[in-house]
Amino acid sequence: SPRVFSGVQPTGNLHLGNYLGAIGRFAALQSTHDCIYCVVDLHAITQARSVWGGPEGLRESTRSVTAAYLAAGIDPVKNIIFNQSQVEAHSELAWVFNCIARMGWLNRMTQFKEKAGKDRENASTGLFAYPNLMAADILVYKATHVPVGEDQKQHLELARDIAGKFNNDFADEIAGQGFGEAYFPLPEPLIQGEAARVMSLKDGSKKMSKSDPSDLSRINLTDDADAIAQKIRRARTDPEPLPSEVKGLEGRAEADNLVGIYAALAGISREAVIAEFGGAQFSTFKPALADLAVQKLAPIAGEMRRLTADPGHIDQVLVDGADRARAIAEPVMDGVKDIIGFIRKR
Ligand code: TYM
């Protein structure tokens, strides 16, 4: 049966890109799929301590991402919400995948190149092997569908390559032990909606990101109404009014981004936004966008504040979720051990 898995890193502030590209779309899948949503704390520590904020920062961000999941309407009883480090099988399968994936495959990962920057000698080996852990996250549940933003597409392709190579390398053992033709499914990315790639408000050629030094480049989920309005007012645009057809957004990255954000927040298409605002100046469109953003985001921020005021409750959600996640992951990992030939207690 179709199973959804996705993860969000607990590193600093969540922003509008995380929400429109991922978290805000997770809840919609819960009526049709069996969903597992993870706070990927093991991934967070692949970067410098200053990025994930040390132990206090990590705990706070882990609770904040959990609160965002809950505030976005994910039901933690029907679905599973947990933090990655509580389920050992992620690390175990990641090690196996370190031995399946090839250096050449990982060398092609653009996110590693971006995150490691010029000083590649000084990047952690965890950052390099990160996509293997991500593949393990998904495959340890034999998940079939992975809702993510556009920037994760390459990592999903790698996860498929890893699943395929494992199935192939151990084809005889997989069949011999009654697992059929393939042990792992090839997981499919679900990259959907009008805001699968939200761009920086200051530069339409860069994606909105937690690591941009300018806070004006992004709308944080915890920004108040004034901050949201100010950031949208100051967002970079060109001097032309909005085009009268969607085609006219081509080559106008900043305008296209704002229209896409409006569409995603309103739950409508770019076409519908242009039908309403085509020909309008940004001095008209920006205040409308700011109102919409405040109207949609303020309740989420409020709910996140309410939830994070009770860390004990959040931690319990994660512990309960981890117990249920482990119950799925451990048998999958046992199968991997048997296929490879690791002796284990029976
Ligand atoms: P992370 O924590 O960087 O981002 C979380 C989710 O937000 C999406 N996203 C965006 N979507 C649209 N526009 C943007 N500007 C934008 N920025 C971020 C991301 O695509 C992601 O869906 N490697 C992952 C976390 C991860 C994961 C997994 C995801 C670890 N294991 C297994 C899926 C399945 C990451 O760093 O996401």
Side-chain angles (χ1 to χ4, degrees):
S1 73
R3 175 176 283 149
V4 165
F5 181 95
S6 198
V8 173
Q9 290 197 62
T11 39
N13 272 338
L14 289 172
H15 55 70
L16 189 63
N18 298 129
Y19 186 73
L20 296 179
I23 300 171
R25 302 191 7 254
F26 291 173
L29 295 161
Q30 62 192 349
S31 54
T32 45
H33 296 71
D34 155 20
C35 303
I36 305 177
Y37 295 121
C38 186
V39 186
V40 292
D41 50 8
L42 297 173
H43 279 99
I45 66 165
T46 56
Q47 286 182 275
R49 177 173 168 143
S50 58
V51 174
W52 51 272
E56 268 316 308
L58 186 60
R59 277 187 282 266
E60 196 184 307
S61 301
T62 300
R63 291 178 184 133
S64 168
V65 174
T66 310
Y69 283 169
L70 297 172
I74 301 168
D75 176 349
V77 176
K78 184 169 189 305
N79 307 287
I80 297 179
I81 295 178
F82 75 107
N83 60 311
Q84 190 183 26
S85 61
Q86 292 204 69
V87 180
E88 302 78 353
H90 289 249
S91 305
E92 286 185 279
L93 187 58
W95 179 261
V96 172
F97 288 171
N98 284 343
C99 304
I100 297 282
R102 308 289 90 186
M103 292 287 286
W105 299 1
L106 291 171
N107 274 330
R108 286 194 286 274
M109 295 295 114
T110 57
Q111 189 158 302
F112 172 75
K113 290 177 200 166
E114 279 162 27
K115 287 195 173 164
K118 287 199 175 63
D119 192 12
R120 206 175 290 185
E121 288 289 301
N122 216 5
S124 76
T125 50
L127 186 67
F128 186 68
Y130 176 120
N132 297 340
L133 176 59
M134 178 163 162
D137 297 339
I138 298 162
L139 294 169
V140 85
Y141 302 98
K142 297 192 176 181
T144 51
H145 296 85
V146 186
V148 283
E150 170 82 34
D151 62 334
Q152 296 301 315
K153 193 172 171 205
Q154 194 184 34
H155 288 158
L156 257 298
E157 280 159 13
L158 186 88
R160 293 167 64 88
D161 289 345
I162 290 174
K165 183 163 158 56
F166 182 91
N167 289 340
N168 197 57
D169 288 358
F170 295 99
D172 292 346
E173 291 78 10
I174 290 167
Q177 293 180 34
F179 292 116
E181 255 173 55
Y183 190 69
F184 290 120
L186 304 188
E188 276 179 43
L190 295 176
I191 300 170
Q192 289 160 340
E194 298 286 342
R197 187 172 178 81
V198 177
M199 308 311 281
S200 156
L201 298 179
K202 286 282 146 198
D203 179 349
S205 70
K206 286 200 297 197
K207 72 171 186 193
M208 186 177 284
S209 107
K210 292 171 190 164
S211 58
D212 194 309
S214 167
D215 196 54
L216 285 174
S217 72
R218 70 184 151 259
I219 293 173
N220 303 305
L221 280 192
T222 49
D223 282 347
D224 61 21
D226 285 347
I228 293 174
Q230 193 211 41
K231 286 173 179 179
I232 291 177
R233 198 170 345 108
R234 295 180 60 182
R236 183 165 148 187
T237 50
D238 55 40
E240 301 298 316
L242 285 175
S244 53
E245 280 182 76
V246 172
K247 270 206 319 295
L249 291 170
E250 270 168 40
R252 297 179 64 188
E254 284 88 7
D256 183 56
N257 190 39
L258 295 183
V259 170
I261 290 173
Y262 190 104
L265 284 170
I268 60 178
S269 64
R270 273 178 169 70
E271 281 76 10
V273 179
I274 289 301
E276 190 176 346
F277 291 99
Q281 301 290 341
F282 283 104
S283 57
T284 305
F285 181 62
K286 279 180 166 181
L289 176 58
D291 285 349
L292 177 65
V294 169
Q295 181 201 322
K296 296 288 175 181
L297 299 180
I300 293 161
E303 185 64 2
M304 284 174 68
R305 261 194 311 279
R306 191 184 72 76
L307 289 161
T308 47
D310 185 358
H313 170 72
I314 302 253
D315 295 2
Q316 195 57 48
V317 166
L318 295 173
V319 168
D320 291 345
D323 286 342
R324 290 161 56 216
R326 217 177 284 116
I328 302 172
E330 277 179 357
V332 175
M333 195 59 217
D334 283 346
V336 169
K337 289 177 182 172
D338 293 344
I339 287 164
I340 296 177
F342 293 140
I343 292 172
R344 65 180 177 89
K345 185 177 173 195
R346 295 192 177 255

